[in-house]
Amino acid sequence: MPSDAILIADGVHRHFAGVTAVDVEHVEIPRGRITALIGPNGAGKTTFFNLLTGFDRPQRGTWSFDGTPVQGLPPYRVARLGMVRTFQLTKVLGRLTVLDNMLLGSNRQPGERLRNALLGVVWKKQDRTDRERAREILARFKLDGKADDYAAGLSGGQRKLLEMARALMNEPTLVMLDEPMAGVNPALTQSLLGHIADLRERGMTVLFVEHDMHMVRNLADWVVVMAAGRIIAEGTPESVLSSEAVVDAYLGAHHDTDLRSLIEEDA
């Protein structure tokens, strides 16, 4: 499907002590769509995320975001280009309020520069703008009532929502979610699904790692499958979930998701 790719990676290789974690020859992520990156545990999905966003360095490989080469850039510069991510284990700061966590996501605050910190006239206007935007986004995620609470008091699902909301403070073009449903109470699952779909409706591209095949089938426009660090299949959810290579990759790894039963449900 990728006729207009926002993210293109070629020849990306990462190994640890001789063990290959990622060996991606070529992959393209379509613009304006929701793409699921799936695969059994240990397939290299999170490592690939880390490489693309600057949290790890490969032995070789190139990739570009929206036409700009980004390999070798630190995470903050990747984020400033509009490519942001969340983490499987959330990175919210528990001793800060929910609102203060949101303000950390803004990349426009001139007061963060040492020479401007003591000059309130330089940063106060932007601070007001950031606070207004943060409260608007928190309201969308139904966290506005928690704005002045410490983030440490949030549930696991609320922390996932906060991390996704904070990512939007950067006004990203591509949002990368690493297992957004991991550890989330079922009561919040539908809310998270709705927010991910809403990102696409607002013109953003989404790339997410997930093990829940029902979520992949119902949410993703495109699916990329990794196994042993390599891309083994790409396509629509229907075509990928019926692929014998994909079924074998999961069942061969004794994964807890029975793809065969999922395929039978769709039949």
Side-chain angles (χ1 to χ4, degrees), residues 84-86 101-102 105 133 137 161-172 174-177 204:
V84 300
R85 67 165 298 180
T86 65
N101 268 273
M102 290 291 290
R133 176 168 171 74
I137 296 174
L161 288 171
L162 174 56
E163 193 165 61
M164 193 184 305
R166 184 175 61 190
L168 300 187
M169 287 292 292
N170 195 43
E171 298 185 17
L174 170 62
V175 181
M176 300 171 63
L177 309 172
M204 285 171 262

Side-chain angles (χ1 to χ4, degrees), residues 24 42 69 72 82 96 103 105 134 145 161 165 168 172-173 185 189 213 223 235:
V24 172
L96 294 182
L103 295 176
L161 288 171
L168 300 187
T173 308
N185 186 302
T189 298
M213 294 301 108
V223 179

Side-chain angles (χ1 to χ4, degrees), residues 71-137:
Q71 68 274 3
L73 295 183
Y76 77 92
R77 290 188 59 189
V78 174
R80 284 178 178 175
L81 290 172
M83 179 174 164
V84 300
R85 67 165 298 180
T86 65
F87 295 83
Q88 183 178 346
L89 300 176
T90 57
K91 304 295 184 182
V92 300
L93 301 180
R95 294 186 179 182
L96 294 182
T97 66
V98 169
L99 180 60
D100 285 339
N101 268 273
M102 290 291 290
L103 295 176
L104 289 175
S106 174
N107 65 0
R108 298 191 180 92
Q109 179 49 268
E112 292 180 356
R113 298 185 180 91
L114 183 60
R115 64 176 180 271
N116 295 334
L118 299 178
L119 302 175
V121 67
V122 174
W123 55 263
K124 283 187 176 180
K125 181 178 180 181
Q126 185 61 49
D127 184 64
R128 287 193 296 270
T129 300
D130 287 345
R131 288 175 181 273
E132 290 174 5
R133 176 168 171 74
R135 291 187 182 277
E136 289 172 3
I137 296 174

Side-chain angles (χ1 to χ4, degrees), residues 217-228:
R217 179 187 60 184
N218 293 323
L219 190 62
D221 303 303
W222 191 251
V223 179
V224 177
V225 188
M226 288 187 74

Side-chain angles (χ1 to χ4, degrees), residues 181-256:
M181 298 300 171
V184 175
N185 186 302
L188 276 177
T189 298
Q190 198 60 42
S191 175
L192 272 167
L193 284 171
H195 287 303
I196 294 172
D198 185 60
L199 297 179
R200 176 182 54 195
E201 298 308 310
R202 292 174 181 270
M204 285 171 262
T205 302
V206 179
L207 173 62
F208 72 96
V209 171
E210 189 52 60
H211 285 298
D212 187 333
M213 294 301 108
H214 293 279
M215 175 183 170
V216 170
R217 179 187 60 184
N218 293 323
L219 190 62
D221 303 303
W222 191 251
V223 179
V224 177
V225 188
M226 288 187 74
R230 294 177 171 84
I231 304 296
I232 64 168
E234 295 180 73
T236 63
E238 295 77 13
S239 65
V240 164
L241 294 180
S242 62
S243 164
E244 282 298 318
V246 175
V247 172
D248 290 344
Y250 269 85
L251 299 184
H254 304 290
H255 194 269
D256 58 3

